[in-house]
Amino acid sequence: MPTPHAAEQVFFKDPAIDRLMGVTMALATEVYVLRDRLRALETQLMDKGAVDAQSLNQEVAPEVLAQHQADRDAFVAHLLSPLLGQESSRGIQP
Amino acid sequence: MSTVNARAFSAAQDFLLGAKKFWTTQMYPLLREQDRAHVAHAATPVNARMQDNDLYPFYAWMERHLQRMKYAGRYGLAPWHETQRPALEAALAKQNVPTVAGFQVPAYYPSFDVHQHPGGLMGDSLAGFVYERGARSTTPLDKHFDLHHRFTRQVGAFLKPQRILDVGCGFGKSTRPFALQFAQAQVTATDLSMPCLKLAQHLDAQENITHVRYLQADACATGLDDAGYDLVTSTMLLHELPTTHLSELFVQAHRLLEPGGWTVHLDFLPQVQPGADEFTHFMHAGHSVRNNEPFMQSLAAFDLQGHLQSLGFTDISITPFAENDQALAPAYPYWRFPWTVVQARKAL
């Protein structure tokens, strides 16, 4: 029976990679949060020439999230595609 | 911007959902393809094949840690709802849900954090809200709530129940579709988690659903009357039960059903899925461990057909369930839960 604080689940031969993955994904989350906020700031400034802090801090509506889904997916693909180990050009045989 | 505001919370959760989508639609299919191409596929067990695979550790890490970040990270569901505690507790303050006499929490239930939900589903008064929000983004390709209506419609195709019992109802996600489709039925719904039950009742009130009676009770000890129901159902409960409770659940279903009544359950069984193989089972077992759902594996190994037969049920069927129109196509490439409907009838 597992316990609430069972042993760390490790997936890589070197557990340092597990932990560095955590650092990378935490940083990526912060970048995405900043991108979202920057986009919202730009939208407010372009639309009204001023920043409304209250609306800026409100939860993003599902329909707005849906509008940005392609951009989100492109950001995620840029971040995570290297994990797939796929080349993007034809090369010579090593 | 030093604190987490609502925009940051929703943006971070959306990022995690996007990462889960990538995992579902890119990592899983490629892992499947690479495994099929393994040079010694037939001679090497799948766990050894995965040890040889460079992608698998990333796949497994993502499965474990996207869920951790979703629930417990800086922008996680648990810390976010903590910031809303006064308002959320106030919202449930008027909800009173009775508890069955002699109620006891089974020992397994609070012994680990199911779904990586910190504290589990009984550990905090806000647990229902956290669970409800988390359920909105369980599967990135489907609206997770839609499948409940698909399931209810499937039941409605062969049964017009008048007295429904939904066990393990959580926050009523499975109950409301039954209550809406069978508006004339009396519906009883039970769960172990009082925070979830109170939220269920609160959400019902918001939708003007008035014919559901919620009750805190173990599905194996409901205290409800014999032969009081023509439908005993559950959704995503069977895989949450240790074998002893799983076995007893069907004993109780048989007791609670009137002759000719049906027990119908939507859950996860990899072995009945189209094209299921050892890779399917390995990934399902891995999900069980990585998502803190240990009884998925014992459910998959349990002889449901034999148990139902031994109890005297008839018309037993255990069939895959399509959560979307493409899900059961043989070449469906993406990760999915092995949705299955288990149904049987109490003999007349």
Side-chain angles (χ1 to χ4, degrees), chain B residues 139 141-155 235 265-269 272-274 318-330 332 334-343:
Chain B
T139 49
L141 299 185
D142 302 298
K143 291 179 180 174
H144 203 54
F145 286 65
D146 289 352
L147 72 89
H148 296 279
H149 291 282
R150 290 175 77 99
F151 175 53
T152 310
R153 285 196 297 272
Q154 187 167 315
V155 173
T235 299
H265 306 267
L266 179 60
D267 223 284
F268 309 134
L269 285 176
V272 303
Q273 304 303 314
I318 301 173
T319 52
F321 174 82
E323 71 275 21
N324 63 52
D325 291 342
Q326 298 79 39
L328 296 181
Y332 187 77
Y334 305 136
W335 185 93
R336 61 182 288 268
F337 283 112
W339 293 106
T340 300
V341 173
V342 177
Q343 69 184 48

Side-chain angles (χ1 to χ4, degrees), chain A residues 53-81:
Chain A
Q54 187 175 1
S55 67
L56 186 65
N57 291 334
Q58 285 179 349
E59 184 163 339
V60 185
E63 56 271 22
V64 176
L65 288 176
Q67 288 172 10
H68 300 310
Q69 188 173 317
D71 179 67
R72 179 202 68 183
D73 290 349
F75 176 85
V76 168
H78 180 55
L79 174 74
L80 298 181
S81 289

Side-chain angles (χ1 to χ4, degrees), chain B:
Chain B
M1 213 183 78
S2 59
T3 57
V4 173
N5 57 55
R7 168 174 289 279
F9 163 72
S10 58
Q13 287 285 323
D14 193 49
F15 165 69
L16 294 173
L17 184 63
K20 184 79 176 285
K21 181 180 176 184
F22 184 89
W23 176 88
T24 302
T25 62
Q26 302 294 316
M27 297 184 87
Y28 178 85
L30 182 60
L31 191 59
R32 178 65 128 153
E33 182 184 321
Q34 289 178 350
D35 184 57
R36 284 185 174 131
H38 189 279
V39 289
H41 186 282
T44 310
V46 63
N47 60 332
R49 299 200 302 266
M50 287 300 109
Q51 282 182 0
D52 291 343
N53 189 294
D54 292 337
L55 178 58
Y56 179 67
F58 290 112
Y59 170 89
W61 191 97
M62 285 288 171
E63 184 169 42
R64 175 75 178 170
H65 289 277
L66 291 179
Q67 183 80 350
R68 173 186 60 77
M69 295 170 75
K70 171 177 165 174
Y71 269 93
R74 182 181 183 221
Y75 301 98
L77 297 163
W80 169 250
H81 285 81
E82 184 62 38
T83 68
Q84 314 296 307
R85 178 175 290 280
L88 295 175
E89 288 187 335
L92 298 186
K94 293 180 181 174
Q95 301 302 333
N96 291 304
V97 176
T99 299
V100 70
F103 173 71
Q104 288 188 318
V105 180
Y108 73 87
Y109 191 66
S111 67
F112 61 95
D113 290 348
V114 68
H115 311 144
Q116 301 192 55
H117 181 149
L121 295 174
M122 289 188 80
D124 189 277
S125 59
L126 303 186
F129 285 108
V130 172
Y131 184 33
E132 189 277 335
R133 184 65 188 247
R136 297 185 207 175
S137 57
T138 301
T139 49
L141 299 185
D142 302 298
K143 291 179 180 174
H144 203 54
F145 286 65
D146 289 352
L147 72 89
H148 296 279
H149 291 282
R150 290 175 77 99
F151 175 53
T152 310
R153 285 196 297 272
Q154 187 167 315
V155 173
F158 70 93
L159 183 65
K160 304 298 178 214
Q162 298 299 308
R163 282 159 293 133
I164 300 169
L165 174 61
D166 184 21
V167 289
C169 68
F171 58 88
K173 184 160 57 99
S174 56
T175 315
R176 276 183 288 283
F178 276 104
L180 291 168
Q181 175 152 343
F182 306 110
Q184 304 306 313
Q186 297 173 6
V187 183
T188 303
T190 69
D191 202 89
L192 294 169
S193 167
M194 183 57 81
C196 286
L197 288 162
K198 287 187 174 182
L199 179 59
Q201 197 165 268
H202 171 71
L203 295 173
D204 277 12
Q206 289 185 331
E207 292 192 38
N208 294 316
I209 295 171
T210 58
H211 57 298
V212 180
R213 174 177 65 127
Y214 289 98
L215 176 68
Q216 186 182 34
D218 185 340
C220 298
T222 59
L224 298 168
D225 292 340
D226 291 2
Y229 298 89
D230 52 4
L231 173 63
V232 174
T233 184
S234 77
T235 299
M236 291 183 280
L237 173 67
L238 305 184
H239 75 275
E240 307 284 9
L241 301 176
T243 303
T244 49
H245 288 67
L246 179 63
S247 177
E248 180 62 22
L249 175 72
F250 289 106
V251 173
Q252 290 300 313
H254 195 270
R255 178 184 72 79
L256 292 161
L257 284 169
E258 65 182 21
W262 287 85
T263 190
V264 187
H265 306 267
L266 179 60
D267 223 284
F268 309 134
L269 285 176
Q271 59 265 42
V272 303
Q273 304 303 314
D277 56 13
E278 63 171 343
F279 181 89
T280 313
H281 286 271
F282 181 78
M283 290 304 164
H284 186 63
H287 177 80
S288 166
V289 174
R290 292 188 282 270
N291 210 43
N292 291 3
E293 299 186 85
F295 307 122
M296 276 184 173
Q297 296 176 73
S298 51
L299 170 63
F302 188 77
D303 180 11
L304 278 170
Q305 177 91 24
H307 185 54
L308 290 165
Q309 282 175 340
S310 74
L311 293 171
F313 280 106
T314 64
D315 302 284
I316 300 165
S317 67
I318 301 173
T319 52
F321 174 82
E323 71 275 21
N324 63 52
D325 291 342
Q326 298 79 39
L328 296 181
Y332 187 77
Y334 305 136
W335 185 93
R336 61 182 288 268
F337 283 112
W339 293 106
T340 300
V341 173
V342 177
Q343 69 184 48
R345 192 177 196 194
K346 183 173 179 176
L348 285 165

